[in-house]
Amino acid sequence: MTTIERAEVLITSPGRNFVTLRITTSDGVTGLGDATLNGRELAVASYLEDHIVPLLIGRDPARIEDMWQYLYRGAYWRRGPVTMTAIAAVDTALWDIKGKVAGLPVYQLLGGRSRDGVLVYTHASGSDTEALLDDVARAQDLGYQAIRAQAAVPGIAGTYGVKKNGRYEPANSSLPEEQPWSTEDYLRFAPTYLRAVRERFGFDFHLLHDVHHRLTPIEAARFGKEVEDVRLFWMEDPTPAESQDAFRLIREHTTTPVAVGEALTSIWDVQHLITAQLIDYVRTTVVHAGGITHLRRIFDLAALYQVRSGSHGASDLSPVCQAAAIHLDTAIPNFGIQEHMGYPEQVSEVFRTGVTYADGHLHVSDAPGLGVEYDDEAAARFPYSPKYLPVARRLDGSVHDW
Ligand code: CS2
Ligand code: MG
């Protein structure tokens, strides 16, 4: 019987930190899984190295579902980002191996194509409205049909979602940077720049906006209602989602579609959001929500309630996660949209991916498995250094949701 012979936790920082699990079978087949948890990378690395790798050796790599159940139920301690990211890494690597053994790309193992390409949205942002408009024009020139718009709130240094020197990378500091926040200023300003985007570019493309957990439910309801004329594709994370029922209040007041899920890690975290139809798009990911196996389960539940996928795809999700996401997006019936933020240049030296961009869509290659290769020599040139996401404080000094 083929068994798992080796599992290595690989850490590298080609412009940003990534953790990758590589599993090798007794037949010499390797599989990759993303294990990156932004700002908490070493916690997952230790969970894998100290508590999972010893359990993998000698097991059958073909038993993907059984491995998922074994690592989830078998740990006794369930859910949470560290656990679910570690399980995701194993699951993704086993799908990669299964594809290579079968000689098929992973989307074929998931039922084959439901679509020709995966619609993606890119980021446009600016230090003010004019700069944002220039960036929207740039994104349209690149062929994007869906664009997320964010502008710096006047007087609020370091507003989330805004690029500096052409790139947005919030985990940028060896200790968490503290950034000010004013809900009042945001609520006054954001509708004006979203309206300016529609006035300049019209309605012939999808416009998205990320609220990044900054509002209370009633504030989010007011915001959604106020921007209805802008016809957003979605407002993302309008309020923190620990209390799923909080979204009911938003729903009662506005027809602006709602997307949630980048910080949620299991089907139970989105169960009520989906079954009560409190959201329109579920944004959970391969890497943080238990891998391809578990994310497929979330999307299948969502399909029953006309909720579509809209997976998070920021630069802290590695090209291995991105490839896995595009395979799943290609196969599922209820795909909505996929985030495509792009990576620092050096990332392509370490991860050689078969994912390609054309005309506002991403495409997977037909290479067996996920179609991503990891270059150890290149990875060694980019040593890890801790980088934290910022912390937000209200103008009175108290901590706010970042
Ligand atoms: C953002 C992310 O892409 C998004 O929608 O919310 O940039 C998020 O802040 C980071 O991925 C956090 O690690
Ligand atoms: Mg977001």
Side-chain angles (χ1 to χ4, degrees):
M1 180 184 85
T2 304
T3 57
I4 294 175
E5 200 166 82
R6 202 145 63 111
E8 304 152 276
V9 179
L10 313 166
I11 305 179
T12 183
S13 189
R16 72 154 355 278
N17 291 322
F18 293 114
V19 181
T20 308
L21 180 71
R22 179 168 55 206
I23 294 179
T24 306
T25 71
S26 51
D27 294 334
V29 179
T30 59
L32 298 175
D34 183 15
T36 310
L37 185 61
N38 208 7
R40 296 292 186 272
E41 295 86 4
L42 300 185
V44 182
S46 159
Y47 193 109
L48 283 167
E49 238 155 30
D50 299 326
H51 302 292
I52 287 192
V53 169
L55 314 184
L56 300 181
I57 310 306
R59 285 183 187 278
D60 182 353
R63 296 190 178 202
I64 299 180
E65 179 67 45
D66 182 66
M67 181 71 85
W68 198 96
Q69 301 294 334
Y70 176 69
L71 295 177
Y72 183 82
R73 295 174 198 272
Y76 186 66
W77 310 108
R78 299 182 181 203
R79 297 156 69 177
V82 175
T83 303
M84 296 306 277
T85 303
I87 294 176
V90 177
D91 183 82
T92 309
L94 294 186
W95 278 101
D96 194 16
I97 288 171
K98 195 177 278 296
K100 287 179 181 173
V101 170
L104 291 171
V106 166
Y107 76 84
Q108 292 289 13
L109 306 179
L110 297 170
R113 273 187 192 282
S114 284
R115 56 193 47 76
D116 299 330
V118 166
L119 177 70
V120 292
Y121 70 91
T122 188
H123 291 191
S125 67
S127 51
D128 56 24
T129 302
E130 267 315 305
L132 167 64
L133 295 177
D134 290 347
D135 211 28
V136 172
R138 181 202 55 85
Q140 288 200 329
D141 286 347
L142 292 170
Y144 286 99
Q145 297 156 30
I147 300 171
R148 184 189 97 161
Q150 314 287 143
V153 178
I156 300 300
T159 309
Y160 70 89
V162 179
K163 295 174 198 170
K164 272 189 206 141
N165 309 320
R167 274 211 67 76
Y168 176 54
E169 184 50 79
N172 61 358
S173 167
S174 56
L175 285 173
E177 191 187 306
E178 303 210 351
Q179 297 175 342
W181 177 250
S182 161
T183 294
E184 294 71 26
D185 291 348
Y186 165 78
L187 281 175
R188 220 177 359 253
F189 179 57
T192 68
Y193 69 71
L194 293 174
R195 219 156 272 138
V197 171
R198 283 305 194 198
E199 274 159 22
R200 174 78 63 90
F201 300 98
F203 284 82
D204 205 16
F205 69 104
H206 299 304
L207 179 61
L208 296 82
H209 179 68
D210 190 352
V211 183
H212 218 275
H213 328 273
R214 297 299 169 97
L215 302 177
T216 65
I218 197 67
E219 288 164 353
R222 172 183 143 199
F223 176 76
K225 196 167 172 178
E226 196 170 332
V227 299
E228 273 170 14
D229 60 324
V230 168
R231 269 185 266 144
L232 289 179
F233 184 90
W234 75 37
M235 65 171 168
E236 176 179 327
D237 292 330
T239 198
E242 283 102 332
S243 166
Q244 297 182 38
D245 214 38
F247 286 76
R248 190 176 296 284
L249 189 68
I250 302 173
R251 242 357 187 195
E252 280 165 1
H253 291 281
T254 178
T255 56
T256 295
V258 175
V260 173
E262 66 179 49
L264 304 179
T265 61
S266 79
I267 198 164
W268 298 279
D269 301 325
V270 293
Q271 178 183 11
H272 184 57
L273 291 171
I274 291 171
T275 59
Q277 294 181 309
L278 300 179
I279 59 173
D280 302 281
Y281 298 90
V282 60
R283 299 190 64 255
T284 38
T285 64
V286 170
V287 59
H288 299 138
I292 292 172
T293 298
H294 195 63
L295 192 57
R296 175 75 199 234
R297 199 152 278 150
I298 293 175
F299 289 161
D300 282 346
L301 174 70
L304 302 182
Y305 296 89
Q306 300 193 43
V307 173
R308 292 193 281 156
S309 74
S311 289
H312 184 207
S315 57
D316 48 291
L317 289 71
S318 91
V320 177
C321 174
Q322 185 196 52
I326 307 305
H327 280 281
L328 195 51
D329 294 341
T330 299
I332 57 169
N334 57 325
F335 168 75
I337 202 165
Q338 167 73 46
E339 183 176 15
H340 178 218
M341 182 168 158
Y343 296 108
E345 247 170 56
Q346 309 93 296
V347 170
S348 61
E349 295 175 38
V350 177
F351 298 93
R352 307 241 166 72
T353 180
V355 173
T356 50
Y357 169 83
D359 300 329
H361 293 73
L362 285 179
H363 301 269
V364 275
S365 72
D366 268 326
L370 294 173
V372 184
E373 280 165 33
Y374 189 90
D375 184 327
D376 290 278
E377 271 174 37
R381 292 203 301 274
F382 304 108
Y384 174 81
S385 74
K387 291 279 186 296
Y388 283 88
L389 288 166
V391 170
R393 287 189 185 274
R394 300 180 196 100
L395 300 185
D396 71 357
S398 56
V399 173
H400 193 67
D401 299 282
W402 186 78

